[in-house]
Amino acid sequence: SPEMVSSMFPLKEGLFDLVIFDEASQMTVETGMPSVFRGKQVIVAGDEMQLQPSNMFRAGYADDADDDERYDTDESVSLLNLAKRRFESRTLQWHYRSKYEELINFSNHAFYNGYIQIAPNVTPFKEPPAIRWEKVNGRWIDQSNEVEAIVVVNQLKEILQSNPEKTVGIITFNAKQQSKVQDIIDSRLAEDSEFSVLYNELMSRSLDERLFVKNIENVQGDERDIIIFSIGYAKNEEGKVYNRFGSLNQSGGENRLNVAVTRAKEGIIVVSSIEPEELNVSNTAERGPKLLKEYF
C-alpha cells in the first residue's frame, strides 16, 4: 500500500524504475503522491466506474501561504481521475472474469456503452440461465430482512451440497443485512451438523476461495464462482415500500452497483422480496436506484 511505501522507503526521487498503482480509482491524490515521487515511471491503473475514495476519514488542509504553488487537484476525486486528465491513457477492452456473457451484459451496457468485449472462449448464454431470480416474502424491519437472510443461507447450503467445489460470495445492499446474514449462518452452524461440515470445508480453503459475506461498500476486488445477492429492501410491517437505498442513493452510488454485479464467474442468484415495479425511482436524482431497478 502507499502507506507502507512511505513508512519503509526513503523519500528519494526516482527510487524505483517503475511504480504501478492498481485500483487507483479508490486512492486519493494525496495518498498516492509520495509513491509517485519515488518513481522514474508511473502506471496508474483503475476503473472510474468502480468505487471512489471514501471521504469518511479524510481531512482538509489549507495554507494561504502556498496559494501560488497549489496544484490543481480540487476537481480530482482520485489519483486515477487526476492521471487521466493529465496523461495519455489506454483503455483495456477485454473482460476475463465471467464465464458467460450474460453475467457482464448489464454492466457493459449500463456503464461502458457496450465497449467491453468478452474473452473469445466465453459462452454467450447458459442453460439454465446464469442469473436466477428468487422471490421471497420478506419484510424490511430495523433496516434488515430476516426472511431473506434465511433464504440466502438456504441457497448457500444447496450450492455446498450440489457443487461443493464452487466458491461462493454473498453480497448485501447495506451493513445491517450483512450482519443479519452472518447471524443466520452462525445459528445454522450451531444447529445443522451437515451445514457445519460443508461450511467448514469451504472455509478451510485458501483465502480467495472461502465464503465472503460483504455489502456493496467493501466488495471491490473480490470474485467468486457464484454470487448470492440479498437485496434486502421490502415492504415494512405496514405493507409499504419506502424508497430508501442507502449508499446507492449517494453520489457515485451507481459505481457501487457496478462493482457488485460484476463479481461472479459462473452464476448469480438474486434473492429479493420486492418486484421491480414496486421500486419508485422517478423522483430519485442519483443513478444508483434507477440502475438497480433496471437490473431487476
Side-chain angles (χ1 to χ4, degrees):
S1 69
E3 292 82 4
M4 288 298 294
V5 170
S6 294
S7 66
M8 292 176 63
F9 297 102
L11 187 60
K12 178 182 176 182
E13 187 173 4
L15 180 64
F16 298 105
D17 293 326
L18 178 64
V19 174
I20 303 174
F21 292 93
D22 191 21
E23 301 283 13
S25 70
Q26 294 188 80
M27 188 178 302
T28 62
V29 173
E30 62 269 25
T31 299
M33 278 302 173
S35 297
V36 171
F37 181 79
R38 290 173 167 90
K40 296 177 183 178
Q41 287 186 307
V42 176
I43 294 175
V44 181
D47 182 351
E48 286 189 295
M49 294 293 101
Q50 296 197 7
L51 297 187
Q52 299 175 352
S54 170
N55 290 320
M56 186 175 297
F57 303 107
R58 295 188 66 183
Y61 174 77
D63 187 347
D64 293 339
D66 294 335
D67 279 350
D68 292 338
E69 297 180 4
R70 186 171 296 158
Y71 290 101
D72 178 24
T73 61
D74 292 344
E75 297 179 5
S76 296
V77 178
S78 66
L79 181 65
L80 177 67
N81 180 261
L82 178 63
K84 186 175 180 181
R85 289 168 51 209
R86 291 176 176 265
F87 302 113
E88 184 180 5
S89 65
R90 292 285 186 272
T91 301
L92 305 180
Q93 295 177 257
W94 292 100
H95 174 85
Y96 292 96
R97 173 179 294 129
S98 299
K99 187 176 179 180
Y100 305 105
E101 187 173 350
E102 62 190 289
L103 293 172
I104 196 66
N105 262 351
F106 175 81
S107 176
N108 190 15
H109 292 280
F111 296 94
Y112 305 105
N113 298 314
Y115 190 67
I116 303 300
Q117 299 181 49
I118 306 300
N121 62 336
V122 166
T123 305
F125 296 97
K126 176 181 178 290
E127 286 295 338
I131 302 177
R132 176 159 60 89
W133 175 273
E134 191 75 23
K135 178 67 165 58
V136 300
N137 294 314
R139 286 291 182 266
W140 185 245
I141 301 172
D142 191 26
Q143 295 183 300
S144 63
N145 186 328
E146 183 171 1
V147 171
E148 199 170 290
I150 292 171
V151 173
V152 166
V153 177
N154 290 343
Q155 293 291 328
L156 171 62
K157 182 179 179 179
E158 288 182 17
I159 294 168
L160 297 182
Q161 288 174 321
S162 59
N163 296 287
E165 76 284 358
K166 301 299 183 186
T167 59
V168 186
I170 298 173
I171 301 177
T172 70
F173 281 75
N174 77 340
K176 285 197 173 182
Q177 185 66 8
Q178 175 189 359
S179 297
K180 181 67 69 175
V181 170
Q182 191 62 62
D183 289 344
I184 300 299
I185 289 176
D186 293 342
S187 298
R188 192 70 61 86
L189 288 172
E191 60 193 33
D192 185 336
S193 58
E194 181 186 12
F195 178 76
S196 180
V197 170
L198 293 169
Y199 179 87
N200 289 331
E201 288 177 355
L202 179 63
M203 299 305 286
S204 67
R205 300 184 190 181
S206 61
L207 190 61
D208 61 351
E209 293 186 333
R210 298 173 189 171
L211 172 76
F212 70 72
V213 181
K214 297 186 177 183
N215 64 64
I216 60 172
E217 296 289 337
N218 53 24
V219 76
Q220 183 158 316
D222 290 302
E223 61 179 25
R224 293 295 187 271
D225 294 328
I226 300 172
I227 294 294
I228 307 173
F229 281 116
S230 176
I231 303 299
Y233 306 122
K235 294 177 181 177
N236 62 12
E237 292 174 289
E238 288 76 41
K240 296 181 179 180
V241 177
Y242 287 98
N243 295 310
R244 297 168 183 164
F245 302 102
S247 60
L248 280 183
N249 207 32
Q250 299 173 5
S251 177
E254 67 274 14
N255 290 27
R256 295 176 174 89
L257 181 66
N258 182 36
V259 170
V261 301
T262 54
R263 300 300 96 197
K265 297 179 185 179
E266 297 184 16
I268 291 174
I269 302 172
V270 181
V271 181
S272 176
S273 302
I274 51 176
E275 299 286 353
E277 58 270 17
E278 294 180 277
L279 291 178
N280 181 12
V281 297
S282 57
N283 296 322
T284 303
E286 300 297 336
R287 290 185 68 208
K290 295 176 181 177
L291 288 174
L292 176 63
K293 183 172 182 175
E294 290 181 21
Y295 184 70
F296 275 15

